[in-house]
Amino acid sequence: MAEFVYPPVVLAAKTMFRVLDNRLRVTGIENIPATGGAVIACNHVSYLDFLFCGLGAQPAKRLVRFMAKQEIFHNRIAGPLMRGMHHIPVDRAAGKASYDEAVARLRAGEIVGVFPEATISRSFTVKEIKSGAVRMAAEAGVPVVPMALWGTQRLWTKGRPRTLTKRHVPILIRAGEPLRPTPTDDTETLTKDLRTRMSTLLDQVQADYPETPSGEEDRWWLPARLGGTAPTPEEAAELDARPPRDDRA
């Protein structure tokens, strides 16, 4: 398919992050296939994760088609960009059509990006994940590449103000060894394995992160297990269970 929108968007994002000196470090590129279909399953700590997950595949010269909620495609600004980049809208009330579209894209040799936690993790740990990534990979006969991002939550995350122009924020992106599910594998077991791999990658990028909070008030972006003030997984689950509201401002 023609790519008139995606390359300029990638270039604009790279330029913006270069100007802001948001230091991106991508590792594990050898795990992203240079050709053929694959699912990238990424953790989710920020509203900007799709940008950085996509940039994580750039060294392999791959474009990632993300599965994203249908409402984004209806936005007057984001909608034309999402459609122009050939991302996949997801109607959560009727998800089979988007699932089938993702499988067709994978069989056609594309990379499909998913956030199997479904929503942003307030605890900055990997929540329980859905099985869709494993199931679509098995059906299409392609690998699942686990990926972890860290640092993106400092720019824009749930319950915090946007700081999109914040300078000198390191962003770490790491791709892990692929899983290769088959239709005969146990989906529940493989989904647990995928979550373990994502958690391990996240632990690694958190350990490698070159900065620490500048003071007590800055500890919000660290998980509780690392001495931060982010909610524990249990506290985050309670927050997620409350009635939804728009807290992105």
Side-chain angles (χ1 to χ4, degrees):
M1 61 184 73
E3 300 292 353
F4 300 116
V5 177
Y6 214 141
V9 169
V10 170
L11 179 61
K14 286 182 175 180
T15 301
M16 180 180 74
F17 297 134
R18 190 176 300 117
V19 169
L20 295 174
D21 190 31
N22 294 144
R23 294 157 283 166
L24 271 66
R25 186 173 67 174
V26 183
T27 55
I29 296 304
E30 68 279 3
N31 293 311
I32 298 177
T35 60
V39 176
I40 290 182
C42 191
N43 73 309
H44 202 7
V45 293
S46 165
Y47 290 109
L48 302 176
D49 287 341
F50 71 97
L51 280 174
F52 291 99
C53 179
L55 289 175
Q58 278 292 295
K61 296 181 169 51
R62 302 302 303 270
L63 298 177
V64 182
R65 315 298 179 183
F66 286 97
M67 301 184 74
K69 61 183 181 180
Q70 189 168 255
E71 290 82 355
I72 300 175
F73 290 78
H74 295 159
N75 182 280
R76 65 184 182 87
I77 297 174
L81 292 174
M82 296 294 283
R83 290 188 293 272
M85 290 186 282
H86 308 296
H87 295 313
I88 303 169
V90 177
D91 181 352
R92 290 181 177 171
K96 187 177 187 308
S98 56
Y99 176 89
D100 290 345
E101 175 65 18
V103 171
R105 300 281 191 94
L106 292 167
R107 286 174 172 162
E110 296 202 58
I111 290 186
V112 172
V114 299
F115 297 98
E117 296 167 277
T119 57
I120 288 174
S121 171
R122 300 173 189 259
S123 66
F124 306 140
T125 62
V126 178
K127 303 193 296 183
E128 293 298 322
I129 67 173
K130 299 184 180 297
S131 63
V134 167
R135 288 188 292 110
M136 68 176 65
E139 187 169 338
V142 302
V144 181
V145 179
M147 181 176 282
L149 307 175
W150 190 243
T152 61
Q153 79 281 10
R154 298 177 65 188
L155 300 177
W156 189 15
T157 193
K158 190 172 284 188
R160 300 291 305 187
R162 286 180 286 244
T163 55
L164 302 182
T165 57
K166 185 176 179 64
R167 296 174 58 83
H168 314 305
V169 176
I171 307 292
L172 303 190
I173 307 168
R174 179 168 296 180
E177 184 178 348
L179 288 80
R180 301 185 183 277
T182 70
T184 60
D185 291 328
D186 181 71
T187 299
E188 182 178 350
T189 299
L190 281 184
T191 299
K192 289 179 179 178
D193 184 15
L194 176 60
R195 180 173 182 258
T196 297
R197 292 181 186 225
M198 292 171 62
S199 296
T200 298
L201 289 171
L202 182 57
D203 290 346
Q204 291 170 354
V205 290
Q206 288 172 341
D208 291 346
Y209 199 68
E211 290 190 2
T212 56
S214 58
E216 185 67 22
E217 292 184 358
D218 201 35
R219 290 171 55 224
W220 66 267
W221 56 263
L222 277 185
R225 70 172 188 82
L226 294 179
T229 56
T232 65
E234 294 75 20
E235 291 167 342
E238 291 181 9
L239 290 171
D240 287 342
R242 294 177 183 175
R245 65 186 180 89
D246 187 353
D247 60 1
R248 291 177 290 176

